[in-house]
Amino acid sequence: MDIQRSLLSSSVSRHLLLPSQNQPTHSSCNNLSIRCFSFSFSFSSVNLNRISSFTTTPQALLNNPSPITHHHPPPHEEHDDMVTTPSLKDICEAHVPKHVLQRMEEIGYVTPTDVQRKALPLLFSGLDSILHAQTGSGKTLTYLLLIFSIINTAKSSVQALVLVPTRELGMQVTKVARMLAAKPAGVEGEQKSCTIMALLDGGTLRRHKSWLKAEPPTIVVATVASLGQMLERQFFVLESVRVLVVDEVDFIFNSSKQTSSLRKLLNSYSSCNNRQTVFASASIPQHRRFLHDCVQQKWTKSDVVHIHVSPVEPMPSRLIHRFIICNTKRKLETLLSLIQSDAPESGIIFVGEQSEKSKKAGNAPSTSLVTDCLKASYQGSLDILLLEDDMNFNSRAASLLEVRKGGGYLLVATDIAARGVDLPEMSHIYNFDLPRTAVDYLHRAGRTCRKPFSDMKCTVTTIIIPEERFVLQKYENELMFNCEELIP
Ligand SMILES: Nc1ncnc2c1ncn2[C@@H]1O[C@H](COP(=O)(O)OP(=O)(O)OP(=O)(O)O)[C@@H](O)[C@H]1O
């Protein structure tokens, strides 16, 4: 069975959250024997010896060639950890160049998030990793710090590659990488800087081609299709790449358009033995199966580790989940009254993509229905914006630019906005149409609660028709959350 199938048939609660009953702790697959076990560990630059009976250190991990699942420590250990928690700079000091650390602090990244605290020591030790942590937990900074620890700006070659599923996420990752690579305040001198190329769908490949020829960038952030085109035309080789990150890995493997190109990138254009490979996502359905596949298909080396932060709580705890039942005809009216009474700071209204059948029948898509309704009847100060797959790249960029300007807005969006997009001010999510899977629910909900150290409550409200109640109930079971019913 390959990863695509395993991801498609996923059940998040069974495979991601609970010790699986049908997947043994020790398992073998085509001569490959892999131990997946969970344990707590802590790493502190102050005290490396505070180790419980199931704790390990990066060095111990290096000596153990099996793929390993790391779980977040239980709460009592967490409390202890707080006392000795090192700063982000402490964790990175021996690995990341000084000027990047200075930039990191200038930007405001001082205290590590859980995933940064758990993952960075392992990543710096050179291990291939599956970075599996909640939405909004800071995975981007985690893998970018690894990249900055590895690249050598004196060399003129592409040394790091970040693959993303959408142009929007690519632009965001590029922005964070460029902010970190910029010269810190008060630093003099002409040090050769790190250049970052965004090779994204909708970009002008000719310009990228000239750039690659003239002076290769140090880091490339790419969508799979655009990178594939450059590789096929041999404008670009991956031989010099020392670190490869695939963000939203489950999404890319699950996308029929992207999966075969990704496989090719992982195997044909470069070898896992010549690079450090990191897969990141807030959802890795059937993670044990995925670990097997990583090793068996040689996407990673055999000592790949699964760094699983908060496995029993896949969504941020300060999220409030609600649902409201109404019939189809009253959905727009219900949405409107919810928005009026919630008075969100900003919100995303997620709608489903229009089916071919509905298009053929001449129905208006949900995006237009919702946008038109809000424009006609919403009485508030928020701007109404639209982001959907069918828009051209310029219009998509314009919508996101408006959103990022700050000020309140209501963004009507398809699932294109559900993965990775970071809008820290977001307070409310509305599922106008029920997400197709529990994983989709998790990522839509994850567009809120994006300030790691804030205790601001955020809300996800799902509007359902009576027949959909059991589906939402299924998501509740799979993702282990409680949805409170609102009575109209
Ligand atoms: N150490 C830190 N201190 C303060 N803010 C941080 C820190 N690390 C990350 N952030 C902020 O947290 C937010 C979420 O980070 P990021 O986009 O990396 O989340 P993510 O884990 O990739 O989420 P998703 O799975 O949804 O893509 C960003 O606004 C980022 O700037």
Side-chain angles (χ1 to χ4, degrees):
M1 196 201 333
D2 65 12
I3 180 64
Q4 198 184 358
R5 237 182 322 146
S6 63
L7 292 173
L8 279 168
S9 63
S10 68
S11 154
V12 171
S13 67
R14 193 154 43 95
H15 301 286
L16 186 144
L17 309 171
L18 300 170
S20 168
Q21 291 178 355
N22 58 1
Q23 301 235 343
T25 309
H26 292 253
S27 56
S28 67
C29 175
N30 293 356
N31 301 328
L32 189 74
S33 180
I34 291 177
R35 275 180 305 138
C36 288
F37 54 91
S38 60
F39 57 87
S40 323
F41 74 98
S42 80
F43 180 85
S44 153
S45 62
V46 181
N47 178 9
L48 264 177
N49 299 322
R50 205 191 64 72
I51 291 173
S52 74
S53 56
F54 289 105
T55 304
T56 190
T57 63
Q59 193 50 48
L61 286 163
L62 278 170
N63 296 335
N64 185 339
S66 303
I68 288 170
T69 296
H70 296 274
H71 281 183
H72 193 275
H76 67 277
E77 287 201 3
E78 190 71 338
H79 179 74
D80 266 9
D81 273 0
M82 296 296 284
V83 180
T84 55
T85 293
S87 71
L88 201 47
K89 192 174 168 196
D90 291 336
I91 296 173
C92 299
E93 210 149 37
H95 308 276
V96 178
K98 250 193 190 141
H99 63 97
V100 178
L101 295 180
Q102 206 176 323
R103 279 297 295 151
M104 183 181 84
E105 294 203 321
E106 277 175 17
I107 298 166
Y109 300 137
V110 177
T111 307
T113 62
D114 277 355
V115 65
Q116 289 153 5
R117 196 159 48 92
K118 306 294 169 197
L120 281 167
L122 292 161
L123 293 175
F124 291 146
S125 74
L127 289 167
D128 286 351
S129 305
I130 294 167
L131 208 54
H132 186 177
Q134 285 179 355
T135 52
S137 59
K139 294 184 287 297
T140 313
L141 181 64
T142 311
Y143 64 67
L144 286 177
L145 287 171
L146 169 71
I147 288 175
F148 281 105
S149 79
I150 288 180
I151 56 172
N152 176 356
T153 48
K155 286 187 185 164
S156 190
S157 58
V158 178
Q159 295 164 56
L161 176 62
V162 181
L163 284 175
V164 291
T166 61
R167 178 180 173 81
E168 284 69 22
L169 182 54
M171 285 162 58
Q172 190 177 290
V173 172
T174 307
K175 190 176 161 196
V176 181
R178 285 185 180 150
M179 284 195 324
L180 289 168
K183 207 179 261 183
V187 169
E188 303 291 329
E190 276 306 301
Q191 193 193 3
K192 191 169 179 245
S193 61
C194 160
T195 48
I196 299 140
M197 174 189 275
L199 190 56
L200 306 170
D201 298 346
T204 44
L205 290 187
R206 203 180 320 141
R207 194 169 57 86
H208 288 114
K209 188 182 136 192
S210 327
W211 179 358
L212 281 163
K213 262 191 171 172
E215 171 78 68
T218 328
I219 304 173
V220 172
V221 179
T223 44
V224 177
S226 293
L227 181 70
Q229 279 185 38
M230 294 299 251
L231 290 171
E232 265 160 38
R233 294 184 204 173
Q234 297 181 337
F235 294 153
F236 181 43
V237 285
L238 296 185
E239 273 162 14
S240 54
V241 167
R242 297 183 56 206
V243 53
L244 168 65
V245 176
V246 184
D247 203 350
E248 307 294 344
V249 64
D250 57 320
F251 181 89
I252 299 184
F253 268 122
N254 216 353
S255 150
S256 53
K257 286 186 196 152
Q258 303 190 52
T259 184
S260 65
S261 306
L262 176 60
R263 283 160 171 273
K264 227 170 149 183
L265 284 169
L266 291 170
N267 293 127
S268 312
Y269 289 111
S270 70
S271 155
C272 67
N273 294 322
N274 301 334
R275 59 168 198 248
Q276 186 173 356
T277 308
V278 178
F279 293 131
S281 183
S283 52
I284 308 281
Q286 295 204 5
H287 60 252
R288 290 193 182 94
R289 188 74 240 173
F290 184 53
L291 273 164
H292 271 295
D293 288 339
C294 283
V295 178
Q296 203 178 36
Q297 308 277 339
K298 296 199 171 23
W299 298 331
T300 63
K301 294 186 266 308
S302 59
D303 57 355
V304 57
V305 289
H306 176 215
I307 305 167
H308 198 179
V309 182
S310 308
V312 292
E313 200 173 35
M315 290 190 284
S317 54
R318 55 199 172 86
L319 256 177
I320 297 164
H321 303 264
R322 314 180 303 184
F323 72 96
I324 188 161
I325 301 181
C326 65
N327 64 41
T328 309
K329 283 187 184 150
R330 299 202 56 188
K331 277 176 84 171
L332 283 170
E333 189 187 319
T334 305
L335 173 70
L336 206 58
S337 71
L338 277 170
I339 293 174
Q340 296 294 158
S341 67
D342 289 345
E345 232 174 84
S346 280
I348 304 184
I349 298 137
F350 278 106
V351 298
E353 263 170 58
Q354 193 180 22
S355 67
E356 285 306 315
K357 196 174 151 198
S358 163
K359 273 185 197 164
K360 278 185 190 151
N363 297 330
S366 289
T367 39
S368 313
L369 287 176
V370 172
T371 313
D372 293 348
C373 164
L374 290 176
K375 282 187 175 161
S377 313
Y378 164 68
Q379 291 170 342
S381 58
L382 304 178
D383 288 339
I384 294 154
L385 301 165
L386 178 65
L387 186 68
E388 61 175 330
D389 307 62
D390 288 347
M391 286 162 71
N392 66 37
F393 285 116
N394 286 342
S395 313
R396 273 161 57 172
S399 279
L400 270 183
L401 199 70
E402 278 302 309
V403 163
R404 292 194 201 281
K405 265 190 199 160
Y409 57 86
L410 291 171
L411 179 68
V412 180
T414 55
D415 281 296
I416 191 173
R419 286 273 180 163
V421 175
D422 183 45
L423 302 167
E425 305 310 322
M426 189 63 57
S427 60
H428 288 71
I429 299 293
Y430 299 94
N431 287 320
F432 181 76
D433 292 317
L434 190 65
R436 278 169 306 183
T437 64
V439 168
D440 289 347
Y441 184 99
L442 176 149
H443 287 277
R444 284 185 182 186
R447 292 321 96 206
T448 51
C449 289
R450 304 207 49 97
K451 291 185 183 169
F453 303 105
S454 157
D455 48 15
M456 183 181 124
K457 299 268 184 234
C458 299
T459 309
V460 186
T461 311
T462 304
I463 302 171
I464 52 172
I465 56 172
E467 299 77 41
E468 289 173 329
R469 177 64 190 112
F470 86 97
V471 186
L472 185 60
Q473 184 75 61
K474 202 175 115 215
Y475 298 169
E476 288 179 58
N477 294 338
E478 289 187 15
L479 297 170
M480 301 206 296
F481 70 97
N482 275 324
C483 223
E484 173 202 336
E485 179 168 6
L486 296 177
I487 307 297

